[in-house]
Amino acid sequence: MKGNIYPNLIRVFYANLKFEGKNLVSHVKGLDVEITHEVWVAVIGLKYAGLRINKGNIGVVEDFKKIQY
């Protein structure tokens, strides 16, 4: 290992990475690493806000205005 980046730890992290519920979970050097939705959004710099354009599998929102969304 050298510097602030540890390629072997990164490989182990990704090799053990899996979904548990809605979270990403990995096991590295005896530690469980859990990345929740809130952590992921903060790391990549996105906002979890805005208008929903559909209701999941139910269908499209009634008063859908393309320009608004």
Side-chain angles (χ1 to χ4, degrees), residues 8-27:
N8 292 337
L9 290 178
I10 294 170
R11 281 188 204 99
V12 171
F13 174 81
Y14 281 112
N16 295 325
L17 190 63
K18 61 185 174 184
F19 270 106
E20 286 186 6
K22 292 184 177 182
N23 300 332
L24 291 170
V25 179
S26 187
H27 189 78

Side-chain angles (χ1 to χ4, degrees), residues 50-61:
L51 301 171
R52 296 185 79 162
I53 60 170
N54 70 21
K55 298 176 183 176
N57 294 329
I58 297 172
V60 177
V61 173

Side-chain angles (χ1 to χ4, degrees), residues 26-50:
S26 187
H27 189 78
V28 180
K29 293 192 75 157
L31 296 173
D32 288 327
V33 180
E34 184 173 352
I35 301 175
T36 64
H37 177 75
E38 292 79 17
V39 170
W40 180 243
V41 169
V43 167
I44 61 175
L46 294 178
K47 295 180 182 177
Y48 188 65

